[in-house]
Amino acid sequence: MPHRSIAGNWIGLTDRSTALFHSGGIDRALPERRQFSPADLMPRGSLMLEAEVSALERPGVLLAYHHHHPWERGLSLHALPEGGIALVVTQGDRVSHTVVHHGQNGQDHRLRITYVWDAPAQSGHLSVHVLGTEQHVLHPVKAPIPLSLGDMQKAFSSHLSAQSRTHGVIFAALSDGAQPVGCLPSLAPDVPVSTATGYRPLHSLKRGDMVRTTGGELVPVLANLSCRMPARASLHPIRLRAPYFGLQRDISVAADQRLCASGSDVEFLFGAPTVLLPAQHLLTGGFAYLPRAGLTQTWHQLLLPRNEPLLAAGARVQSLYLGRRRRQADHIAASVFAGLDRSRLPEHARPAFPVLRAYEAITLLQHRAA
């Protein structure tokens, strides 16, 4: 299983303070010189947004546009009261309608919603990931309608609309290629990982290298997965501070990267020898902070045989959790595992340790800070 990354540039990004579009990639310093028309179509691409969705009594508009000239075309994403997402794409007399039910009815939740289309291949999908959980729903979109590059340029050249912000949208991003969905890598490329020959930068590791687990065992790397994502919301780097949690130096991780925490206080508070602590909860109490970040961020993570924890700069962190996703061919094809031999992917048992919720993490951190 070789090192794997997904092709495609992020060409649009919009939130409360950013409004960027560049057909060559938003990381380019030069401004976009070309004005695209409605007739300039995107044959393939990805439209992603993250939203903090509250319990709804009626459908809420997350993202929408509609134009009548020179022909009718539009796109809308709605959050549904019964716990779902509806996507409608219009082009002339063609209408594509897709609904995904994620099951988070009657409660607040954060979602990462991604629409991926490949018109020449007549395939696409709408993905909804309930962040902070393993819940990920994928629905096929048959014969997807290509989006207009001109319409996308217009949409991403302005900040998120008040309507989108009202319904909890944090950011939206546009790519000209198929971006991965589901579980994503969550460690910065320069994070030092303990191996058979000492610490090495994560990005330098490859299949077959031996890494040292938190129990001292040496296990083989099955794959080093990577992706480049907008550095916003759950994908914005979080800087973990040394010496907390055994860190020998500060490292950058994504919000859902989990650390292993053990000790008498853990056993006393939670009745378990070890707990998993999502990095986003460490922003309370000075254990971590949000550094300045660019527009995009590259993330890496290692796939290990049994989801063994890694030693990252001295801290115990969870490696990439696959669960039983290899049984779902469509999920694998849409993820960072695309192109790998599905029959050779491992199956990971449910994590043996509980994952702390926000209030539980605060309790532990306050106890350790006292």
Side-chain angles (χ1 to χ4, degrees):
M1 299 179 203
H3 170 95
R4 172 71 176 162
S5 62
I6 300 294
N9 290 319
W10 290 102
I11 63 173
L13 180 64
T14 178
D15 57 19
R16 290 175 178 266
S17 59
T18 306
L20 289 172
F21 178 92
H22 196 295
S23 59
I26 56 175
D27 285 316
R28 295 196 175 194
L30 297 176
E32 178 68 74
R33 293 184 178 182
R34 181 179 172 185
Q35 278 297 122
F36 294 93
S37 75
D40 293 312
L41 299 181
M42 296 182 67
R44 57 187 59 83
S46 303
L47 179 64
M48 171 198 285
L49 61 84
E50 282 193 17
E52 205 62 79
V53 180
S54 302
L56 300 170
E57 295 182 358
R58 63 186 66 183
V61 178
L62 301 176
L63 200 66
Y65 69 83
H66 199 97
H67 304 294
H68 293 277
H69 302 287
W71 59 81
E72 186 173 6
R73 62 204 185 279
L75 177 145
S76 66
L77 269 170
H78 287 80
L80 305 178
E82 62 269 27
I85 298 295
L87 168 71
V88 180
V89 182
T90 305
Q91 186 185 88
D93 58 358
R94 294 183 62 194
V95 179
S96 171
H97 187 275
T98 308
V99 177
V100 170
H101 294 282
H102 52 75
Q104 300 294 306
N105 186 19
Q107 53 187 305
D108 296 349
H109 44 277
R110 178 173 284 198
L111 304 176
R112 182 183 300 135
I113 304 161
T114 311
Y115 170 47
V116 178
W117 72 95
D118 187 335
Q122 294 285 286
S123 67
H125 53 261
L126 180 62
S127 159
V128 180
H129 184 191
V130 183
L131 296 178
T133 76
E134 305 300 333
Q135 187 171 348
H136 173 226
V137 187
L138 190 72
H139 196 287
V141 178
K142 297 180 179 179
I145 299 171
L147 300 186
S148 162
L149 195 57
D151 292 341
M152 291 291 96
Q153 182 179 37
K154 182 177 180 180
F156 281 89
S157 295
S158 58
H159 297 144
L160 278 176
S161 69
Q163 188 177 42
S164 294
R165 296 198 303 270
T166 296
H167 289 101
V169 178
I170 303 166
F171 80 89
L174 177 70
S175 171
D176 59 7
Q179 294 292 338
V181 298
C183 63
L184 297 177
S186 50
L187 293 173
D190 65 345
V191 168
V193 172
S194 182
T195 73
T197 57
Y199 276 98
R200 289 174 52 189
L202 174 57
H203 68 81
S204 71
L205 299 176
K206 60 184 185 301
R207 173 174 167 79
D209 287 340
M210 304 297 289
V211 296
R212 194 173 301 280
T213 70
T214 58
E217 180 186 8
L218 290 173
V219 299
V221 173
L222 301 183
N224 185 337
L225 291 310
S226 71
C227 63
R228 191 163 186 85
M229 289 285 150
R232 293 294 187 273
S234 70
L235 299 166
H236 188 289
I238 293 175
R239 194 76 172 162
L240 303 183
R241 297 181 188 270
Y244 301 115
F245 295 92
L247 282 169
Q248 298 161 4
R249 49 160 279 192
D250 294 0
I251 62 172
S252 292
V253 303
D256 59 357
Q257 174 63 54
R258 295 169 179 171
L259 285 78
C260 303
S262 303
S264 57
D265 54 350
V266 168
E267 194 141 15
F268 172 75
L269 291 169
F270 308 109
T274 302
V275 293
L276 297 176
L277 182 61
Q280 61 186 328
H281 301 330
L282 295 176
L283 292 169
T284 300
F287 294 88
Y289 65 96
L290 291 175
R292 291 178 63 88
L295 298 172
T296 61
Q297 168 71 35
T298 296
W299 297 110
H300 282 252
Q301 189 48 289
L302 300 182
L303 180 66
L304 302 182
R306 297 186 303 277
N307 188 223
E308 293 90 343
L310 296 166
L311 277 172
R316 296 180 298 155
V317 303
Q318 188 180 33
S319 59
L320 192 62
Y321 178 70
L322 182 59
R324 298 187 175 184
R325 292 184 183 89
R326 78 168 188 173
R327 303 183 184 189
Q328 301 171 293
D330 56 342
H331 282 241
I332 293 298
S335 73
V336 291
F337 305 101
L340 302 183
D341 184 350
R342 190 161 60 92
S343 67
R344 298 178 67 187
L345 292 174
E347 287 200 2
H348 292 155
R350 187 179 297 275
F353 308 122
V355 180
L356 297 191
R357 289 165 287 191
Y359 71 89
E360 294 171 321
I362 290 173
T363 300
L364 174 61
L365 297 177
Q366 288 177 339
H367 189 272
R368 292 196 168 185

